């Protein structure tokens, strides 16, 4: 399978003998997650199932299993570095997550972000059914202006949280009818909403007006990112607010109008690099069509954001 292609894979411990299931599960999880410890309540006949959807950018796994405890120690963090985040969302059962002197008890309707870049303990009750969504670190650290473990419970029962849960469930239900660009595009939006949800949870005293301004600014920038003349002042005027209002709304989530415009332009280029409909466009063409002043300006910003050049992303995904 070419690198970057969307794939769906299913696995069940029912495919092996009962006495082999615990080791089978450990090897299976270790094949796509970083190094962890496993403690089983009944290792002689452990039962578990996974359905894994992934590209080179994101991974969504729905899993069901018997009671188990996962741990990631300081030594494992050092020996097998992994700065990426996982978003945990139980659909049944409960999960207790401990990290960075915080504890979150997750039940259906609550979720949490956990960093694999720091030690943690994750205790899962029997017959737990849950999603675990892998998110590249740069997709969280940049938008949230932070780099630290997160273990706070997030409410997925109403409002923005419910939208996030519905989108993850939609990705799962439509798993057999998605393409690589489609899976990545929806995953991008899920992460964006998760960051907004997490920041809002950390700052419940932020006036609702600023949150509304932020949401509308993001929609406007997404729709006009390719305009090379787009600026903070221009978007403020178009939306009927002062530039100061726009700046304050974005400041609360750790960004600025200029940074948001650049971020949306980079996402636009990335999506086009992954899409066959834009294969005829050179990197130079993509730069100008996405609001950048030159191919070199695009390449510099793109490498800083995604860790590789536009050309490397285009040919590395084939």
């Amino acid at each position: 399978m070419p690198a970057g292609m969307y794939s769906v894979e299913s696995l069940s411990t029912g495919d092996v003998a009962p006495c082999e299931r615990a080791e089978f599960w450990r090897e299976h999880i270790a094949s796509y997650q970083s190094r962890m410890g496993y403690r089983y309540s009944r290792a002689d006949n452990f039962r578990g199932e996974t359905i894994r959807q992934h590209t080179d950018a994101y991974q969504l796994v729905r899993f069901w299993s018997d009671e188990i405890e996962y741990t990631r120690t300081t030594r494992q963090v050092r020996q097998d570095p992994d700065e990426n985040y996982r978003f945990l969302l139980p659909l049944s059962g409960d999960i207790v997550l401990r990290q960075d002197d915080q504890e979150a008890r997750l039940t259906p309707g609550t979720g949490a972000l956990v960093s694999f870049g720091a030690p943690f303990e994750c205790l899962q009750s029997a017959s737990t059914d849950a999603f675990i969504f892998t998110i590249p670190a740069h997709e969280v650290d940049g938008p949230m202006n932070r780099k630290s473990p997160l273990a706070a419970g997030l409410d997925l029962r109403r409002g923005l949280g419910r939208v996030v849960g519905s989108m993850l469930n939609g990705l799962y239900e439509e798993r057999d009818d998605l393409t690589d660009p489609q899976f990545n595009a929806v995953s991008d939006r899920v992460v964006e909403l998760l960051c907004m949800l997490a920041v809002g949870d950390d700052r419940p005293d932020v006036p609702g007006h600023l949150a509304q301004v932020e949401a509308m600014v993001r929609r406007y920038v997404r729709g006009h990112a390719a305009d090379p003349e787009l600026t903070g002042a221009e978007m403020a005027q178009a939306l009927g607010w002062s530039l100061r209002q726009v700046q304050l709304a974005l400041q609360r989530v750790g960004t600025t109008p200029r940074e948001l415009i650049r971020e949306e332009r980079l996402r636009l280029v990335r999506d086009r690099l992954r899409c066959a409909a834009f294969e005829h466009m050179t990197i130079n063409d993509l730069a100008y069509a996405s609001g950048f002043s030159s191919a070199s300006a695009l390449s510099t910003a793109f490498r800083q954001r995604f860790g590789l050049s536009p050309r490397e992303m285009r040919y590395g995904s084939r």
Side-chain angles (χ1 to χ4, degrees), residues 115-129:
S115 171
F116 266 48
F120 64 78
E121 298 176 2
C122 183
L123 293 76
Q124 176 191 307
S125 67
S127 300
T128 291
D129 182 7

Side-chain angles (χ1 to χ4, degrees), residues 40 182 249:
Y40 303 91
Q182 291 169 348

Side-chain angles (χ1 to χ4, degrees), residues 93-110:
D94 63 86
I95 298 172
V96 176
L97 179 63
R98 301 189 183 106
Q99 185 174 62
D100 195 34
D101 297 324
Q102 299 183 62
E103 178 176 302
R105 181 174 294 274
L106 309 180
T107 56
T110 60

Side-chain angles (χ1 to χ4, degrees), residues 269 272-273 278 281-290 298 314:
V269 173
R272 289 175 171 177
L273 287 170
F278 293 90
M281 296 182 69
T282 66
I283 302 301
N284 196 57
D285 291 338
L286 282 174
Y288 288 114
S290 304
L298 166 62
R314 166 172 277 176

Side-chain angles (χ1 to χ4, degrees), residues 49 71-72 81 121 138 159 185 198 202 206 220 238 253 274 277 293 300 310 316:
E49 299 176 0
T71 58
R72 186 158 162 82
E121 298 176 2
H138 61 258
D202 285 345
V206 173
Y220 185 86
V253 292
R274 292 170 169 169
S293 60
T300 299

Side-chain angles (χ1 to χ4, degrees), residues 24-41:
F24 179 73
W25 185 260
R26 185 192 67 78
E27 292 180 353
H28 169 58
I29 300 301
S31 70
Y32 63 84
Q33 301 286 11
S34 298
R35 186 176 302 179
M36 294 185 289
Y38 304 79
R39 183 177 299 170
Y40 303 91
S41 60

